[in-house]
Amino acid sequence: MAKISREDFTCVAATNASAYRHVTVPVLKIDAGPGPAVALLAGVHGDEWEGQAAILQLWQLLPGILQRGTVYLLPAANAEASLAGTRLSPSDDGNLNRAFLGAPVRGYTESVAAALQARLLPRIQAMVDVHSGGASLRYLPSSVITRYGDDALDARLPALARAFGLPQCVFFRGTESGSLPAAASRLGVLRLSAEIGGGRETSLALVQRCRDGLLGCLAELGLLPAAPPRQASASPSLHDLHPSVATLRARERGVFVPAVELGQTVIAGQHIGQLIEPARPDQPVRDLASPQAGTVVCLRAIARSDDGDCLLQVAPALPLDSLASLY
Ligand SMILES: [Zn+2]
């Protein structure tokens, strides 16, 4: 039977209404003896629910089934933002996924990042960090591979993405040194992320796919005997979202009326929707065209949009085995 212990930590999160306020980040350590140490995290952005709900399910399930190694579960890594249902930390507007910047620590968000960097990352060999589109975006369920320089662990990422079992895998070239995956990479931690759902809502079906994907990753890493039974899925298609041509942004204010759906295949220049301004009926409708051919992987979930907002991400489906060619 695995040994269970709480490894919660507390950070100061002062506000105008509460000078010495504390926020506690819950952490469960499940120790099943020799083997790798792995962290499963969600809620780095507080309004991204699928991973948070899935890891809360594992909080109950995993102590009874973990075969070897150690798992740290963090269902709400940014607990303050999760409690508020916001992407950023309410007390300092910090983005936890940009806060791994080292000393000096300024405010709550960087305190959480510093605690994760000091207390968690040195104790693990691998982590899976689950995100979603949050309030403003919706994603096709996708694992996420981000590259940070010449990382010797990257060769293991396609197998981990397959083990997650989602039909898409998104690729980014990591340009943010302050992100959690970047910090993990600097400390030699194998790391996979995911983008699952979004749009200020969630569903049990998405939560269970996420939970089963996390169990699949633990099996791939050798902590469970086998992945749970589920539909046999083909190797995920790979979508390179790093080039600027993969993202369509609004260039003015308007109400976004998409004419495409998530998962739809489009050609370059295809009409994908309009930006309209109902309160200014004399203003011309702005027709929007897909910046390139591919699969619609991400769509804005809030109709009212502003200059610079991401409206859509689209990229061709490549074989996962072509990942090395993107490096
Ligand atoms: Zn996120």
Side-chain angles (χ1 to χ4, degrees), residues 45 48 87 131-132:
H45 295 129
E48 301 176 355
R87 176 177 179 82
H131 290 251
S132 89

Side-chain angles (χ1 to χ4, degrees), residues 37 121-127 150-154 156 180-191:
L121 296 182
R123 298 160 74 180
I124 58 175
Q125 288 80 54
M127 60 171 243
D150 289 322
D151 190 326
L153 297 169
D154 283 3
R156 296 182 62 190
L180 172 57
S185 176
R186 286 194 292 272
L187 289 172
V189 175
L190 176 66
R191 71 278 165 274

Side-chain angles (χ1 to χ4, degrees), residues 267-293:
I267 61 171
Q270 180 172 332
H271 176 75
I272 63 91
Q274 295 179 325
L275 269 183
I276 62 171
E277 197 56 272
R280 299 286 182 267
D282 298 324
Q283 192 169 303
V285 167
R286 301 292 182 191
D287 286 310
L288 302 167
S290 179
Q292 67 174 345

Side-chain angles (χ1 to χ4, degrees), residues 50-139:
E50 289 73 16
Q52 297 189 53
I55 292 173
L56 197 59
Q57 289 191 0
L58 294 179
W59 191 287
Q60 303 297 329
L61 174 68
L62 208 49
I65 63 170
L66 192 67
Q67 294 279 306
R68 57 190 294 266
T70 301
V71 175
Y72 295 89
L73 296 178
L74 288 85
N78 187 343
E80 189 196 40
S82 175
L83 288 165
T86 55
R87 176 177 179 82
L88 307 180
S89 313
S91 60
D92 64 2
D93 282 337
N95 180 345
L96 180 54
N97 216 28
R98 302 289 180 271
F100 289 78
L101 301 168
V105 166
R106 301 160 298 179
Y108 161 79
T109 308
E110 290 183 11
S111 299
V112 175
L116 292 172
Q117 181 144 338
R119 299 167 57 103
L120 183 72
L121 296 182
R123 298 160 74 180
I124 58 175
Q125 288 80 54
M127 60 171 243
V128 184
D129 167 34
V130 183
H131 290 251
S132 89
S136 67
L137 300 172
R138 283 195 188 88
Y139 267 95

